[in-house]
Amino acid sequence: MLEIPVEAYPNQSCLVTLPDSSGSGQNCTVALYQRGERVYLDLNVDGSVVRRGAVCLPRVGIVGDVAGFSGELFIVDSRTQPDAQEPPQWQGLGTRWKLYYLTVDEVNEMRDEAARAALLEGIHG
């Protein structure tokens, strides 16, 4: 898991090279911007649009399973418990709300852990 550095600006973009399944890296432009009460994300990889206007919600994959991008982006609210995460606001980007990149393997591991927890809850619940 990698933290992508963001700052408390209402509109920002950064260039970052993120790992991919081939090991060569993905040259990404990540833009975050606030419109009304929500923060949105645009993602370009190697100059191609991968996602536009994705709503950023805490602990929810932002990009999804799309062609042209390997992995997933998440925003996490560092001030609250996992079950009480609040939607990001630009004033807290980089301090309260942090942006993370997970590789495909990390995403699959996280899904496997969630599935195991749900199964155990069903068995013991």
Side-chain angles (χ1 to χ4, degrees):
M1 177 169 56
L2 298 172
E3 182 178 347
I4 298 172
V6 295
E7 298 183 33
Y9 293 114
N11 296 295
Q12 63 186 287
S13 64
C14 66
L15 302 174
V16 61
T17 301
L18 300 172
D20 64 7
S21 54
S22 72
S24 62
Q26 308 171 90
N27 297 312
C28 301
T29 303
V30 178
L32 290 170
Y33 50 95
Q34 179 122 14
R35 298 289 184 267
E37 295 296 314
R38 298 209 183 263
V39 171
Y40 297 88
L41 180 139
D42 294 344
L43 174 65
N44 291 351
V45 178
D46 294 322
S48 298
V49 174
V50 171
R51 180 68 75 207
R52 286 274 184 248
V55 176
C56 297
L57 296 172
R59 300 185 68 210
V60 175
I62 299 169
V63 178
D65 188 18
V66 295
F69 184 67
S70 177
E72 183 60 277
L73 298 173
F74 289 88
I75 282 188
V76 176
D77 183 349
S78 63
R79 288 197 190 164
T80 60
Q81 296 299 317
D83 59 346
Q85 298 270 298
E86 295 182 20
Q89 299 295 305
W90 72 264
Q91 297 91 335
L93 290 174
T95 54
R96 178 175 178 176
W97 289 282
K98 298 187 178 205
L99 180 63
Y100 293 98
Y101 167 77
L102 277 71
T103 65
V104 171
D105 290 340
E106 290 170 325
V107 171
N108 290 337
E109 182 178 320
M110 185 175 66
R111 287 180 183 147
D112 289 346
E113 287 175 15
R116 277 193 293 276
L119 178 62
L120 289 174
E121 176 72 23
I123 291 171
H124 300 293

